[in-house]
Amino acid sequence: MDTITVSIKEKAGSFAENKDVARELRIKHIIPALKKNKTVVIDFSDVTGATQSFMHALISDTIRKFGEEVFDKLRFKNCSPLVKEVVTIVAEYMQEF
Amino acid sequence: MPIYALQNIIVLCRARFVVNTLDGNAIIMKVFLSYSDYLRNFEVFLRAFDPSESNKLIILTHDKWVNVHPVVLAIIAALGSKIGSENITIEKITATSGHYLSRMGLFKMLGKKSPYSIKEHEPAGRFIPITQIKSPEEQSQFVTEMIPLLHLKPNQADSIKYIVGELVRNVLEHARTKDGAFVAAQYYHHTNMVRLGICDAGVGIRKTINYSWHAPTDLDAIKLALTPGITGTTRREGGTGENVGAGLFFIKSMAMVARDYFVLYSGTGLYKLIKRDKRTKGFPRLHADPQDDKHSDTNDAPKFPGTVVGIDISLDQTSEFRVLLAAIRDVFIKAVRERKKARYKKPIFI
């Protein structure tokens, strides 16, 4: 399985709130990898939490572009309970639209 | 004497307000800092407040005691940034608690010499002095550094970081002001609460919302901004890659659950979430429509050139922050679903 890993702590710090960073990760790493049919592991090691707007900027466009099937290719690793909840929020509402 | 001037004097006697007077060609704004300028009394603070055309600022204080919500300090800092230090006067302070203003960085932020000598790292201080944030990088640094300043435990920190992260980002992204956001906060031990104020002197919510929607008044715009899935960036359901219109709804809902005050003020619009009765047990019903929440509002507030958010965050309520987010998520998704359903094409039966 062809996989890339995107580390959040390295770019966004221990609390992920900078949407510019999220956007850059999405445009430069996540979407290009998905276009090549790679699996993208988003690693939240040592990230205690994230804002909804950060997570939206990180993954909403992938759902819009690739449909809900994108979740077959996205993996969320080492998530704190709070990060898990914020990922779930964005994943759920984006599938409503 | 004009009626409005008479009203100003009446408010002066109540010892908390801001008032404009004419002095030659200058329109002078006087800010009076009293002993109980909390969010509960926010409307009283705003009476006779008309900062929109002012070009001079005079700050007066109660003679015995000064005790203000950090949002008031953030407002003064934002207004001061537009007026410039040379046009600001701080009258002699006699209140014994006047040093609080110095500790909160008011003099420094306004470019004025403080009459107080304050130790930089006073151990009893659990506050964030007025801080100006002009870029996402400064925001990230602030979010990292503010928790040690408030001496909060890790499980208390996430909700504060979340709220500051969302609100400051709103300013940087939507307010269209080079001066950015002004933030101040104070922890209160006896109530185990953080009082937080964020203010900008930018374009205001109505201008931002009306990029994509039509809000006839500032209050209409505030209510749209508090509605799930409404963003000024686009009318498209699902928003853009960067915006979906969830931030303010989530924060208002957090305040609702925690029985905390939440004030959103922009232009002439003011929306204040009122504390739930402590006798009401259990998880409150969250509403997608801000009109359905117990609140006070007006579209007749003094016109503020920008946006003000004040919030009291009870730390007793935030241990299950994740659970709280999950509950808000359900309401958000239900609201999105219902709005989508309302737009379905209807079959025509003949």
Side-chain angles (χ1 to χ4, degrees):
Chain A
M1 189 169 65
D2 207 357
T3 300
I4 72 151
T5 298
V6 176
S7 173
I8 299 300
K9 168 79 187 299
E10 196 180 302
K11 297 280 186 186
S14 61
F15 191 89
E17 39 70 41
N18 188 334
K19 284 169 71 177
D20 295 344
V21 169
R23 182 175 179 274
E24 189 181 322
L25 289 172
R26 184 189 83 220
I27 292 172
K28 288 190 177 170
H29 302 283
I30 298 174
I31 288 191
L34 291 169
K35 279 183 177 168
K36 291 176 188 166
N37 206 28
K38 290 181 179 178
T39 294
V40 179
V41 177
I42 305 178
D43 188 348
F44 285 92
S45 296
D46 302 317
V47 177
T48 61
T51 59
Q52 167 272 327
S53 59
F54 176 91
M55 204 60 74
H56 182 88
L58 189 71
I59 64 170
S60 70
D61 234 16
T62 67
I63 304 164
R64 204 190 315 272
K65 282 189 165 73
F66 300 96
E68 60 194 49
E69 291 75 21
V70 78
F71 291 109
D72 296 332
K73 290 287 178 184
L74 283 178
R75 299 285 183 273
F76 300 92
K77 189 178 176 187
N78 295 318
C79 296
S80 72
L82 178 55
V83 170
K84 262 186 196 171
E85 179 52 45
V86 179
V87 170
T88 306
I89 288 170
V90 177
E92 286 197 7
Y93 73 61
M94 282 310 295
Q95 291 180 80
E96 291 289 339
F97 292 121
Chain B
M1 180 181 291
I3 292 170
Y4 72 86
L6 186 61
Q7 285 170 335
N8 291 347
I9 288 171
I10 292 167
V11 177
L12 173 60
C13 297
R14 295 181 64 153
R16 53 173 89 89
F17 71 104
V18 180
V19 61
N20 277 358
T21 56
L22 284 168
D23 177 17
N25 291 326
I27 303 170
I28 300 178
M29 172 172 49
K30 290 180 182 172
V31 180
F32 188 91
L33 304 179
S34 88
Y35 51 82
S36 61
D37 288 331
Y38 303 130
L39 294 184
R40 186 184 59 205
N41 305 326
F42 199 71
E43 290 93 337
V44 179
F45 173 77
L46 290 181
R47 271 183 211 157
F49 182 41
D50 185 8
S52 56
E53 301 298 332
S54 304
N55 51 22
K56 280 189 184 294
L57 171 64
I58 297 177
I59 299 169
L60 305 162
T61 51
H62 189 270
D63 57 348
K64 296 279 193 300
W65 196 256
V66 174
N67 197 0
V68 296
H69 193 286
V71 77
V72 172
L73 302 177
I75 289 171
I76 295 172
L79 292 173
S81 72
K82 290 189 92 166
I83 291 170
S85 179
E86 66 281 8
N87 295 313
I88 302 169
T89 305
I90 303 176
E91 296 282 297
K92 184 175 169 54
I93 299 170
T94 57
T96 50
S97 58
H99 65 281
Y100 175 74
L101 301 177
S102 192
R103 282 206 317 174
M104 291 300 282
L106 185 67
F107 297 94
K108 191 176 172 185
M109 189 54 69
L110 298 178
K112 297 291 177 187
K113 189 175 183 310
S114 170
Y116 301 98
S117 173
I118 303 289
K119 287 178 189 170
E120 283 296 318
H121 298 289
E122 196 170 322
R126 296 179 69 164
F127 61 92
I128 296 170
I130 309 165
T131 306
Q132 187 175 14
I133 302 172
K134 295 202 246 183
S135 68
E137 293 73 27
E138 287 179 7
Q139 176 187 326
S140 295
Q141 188 181 349
F142 179 79
V143 167
T144 305
E145 292 175 356
M146 70 177 181
I147 297 304
L149 288 175
L150 292 170
H151 303 199
L152 298 180
K153 295 171 191 164
N155 69 327
Q156 297 173 322
D158 284 337
S159 60
I160 310 285
K161 287 179 181 177
Y162 188 99
I163 290 167
V164 171
E166 293 287 29
L167 292 177
V168 174
R169 179 68 200 199
N170 274 354
V171 174
L172 299 181
E173 206 167 320
H174 303 300
R176 285 181 256 166
T177 166
K178 63 179 173 46
D179 292 321
F182 293 86
V183 186
Q186 169 83 52
Y187 173 77
Y188 291 81
H189 182 70
H190 65 289
T191 50
N192 195 26
M193 175 180 282
V194 172
R195 291 187 172 141
L196 173 72
I198 296 178
C199 182
D200 69 74
V203 298
I205 291 177
R206 188 169 167 227
K207 204 158 196 173
T208 306
I209 281 289
N210 278 356
Y211 183 78
S212 302
W213 300 83
H214 175 64
T217 69
D218 288 310
L219 183 60
D220 292 329
I222 286 172
K223 288 181 179 175
L224 276 172
L226 289 167
T227 303
I230 300 285
T231 170
T233 318
T234 179
R235 280 187 84 104
R236 183 172 66 163
E237 289 293 337
T240 65
E242 278 75 41
N243 290 284
V244 74
L248 283 171
F249 168 73
F250 270 69
I251 290 166
K252 183 207 72 174
S253 299
M254 286 174 202
M256 178 75 183
V257 173
R259 295 189 170 90
D260 295 330
Y261 282 109
F262 168 81
V263 164
L264 185 53
Y265 170 36
S266 182
T268 60
L270 172 70
Y271 179 96
K272 184 170 88 174
L273 194 67
I274 294 171
K275 281 181 103 159
R276 280 193 305 132
D277 192 328
K278 280 184 179 174
R279 291 169 298 185
T280 313
K281 300 289 179 197
F283 208 83
R285 187 170 171 201
L286 298 175
H287 301 108
D289 185 345
Q291 191 63 30
D292 295 337
D293 289 318
K294 190 177 173 189
H295 75 286
S296 62
D297 66 40
T298 177
N299 194 45
D300 204 21
K303 189 171 182 181
F304 185 79
T307 303
V308 177
V309 182
I311 184 167
D312 295 342
I313 308 157
S314 169
L315 299 177
D316 291 336
Q317 305 288 331
T318 52
S319 56
E320 288 296 324
F321 184 49
R322 180 189 59 80
V323 176
L324 171 59
L325 284 183
I328 300 170
R329 180 229 312 162
D330 290 343
V331 179
F332 184 88
I333 287 169
K334 189 173 171 223
V336 165
R337 196 176 293 153
E338 283 175 0
R339 200 167 56 245
K340 192 176 171 186
K341 195 173 170 186
R343 290 198 330 273
Y344 284 173
K345 289 272 186 191
K346 303 284 188 300
I348 301 169
F349 300 102
I350 56 172

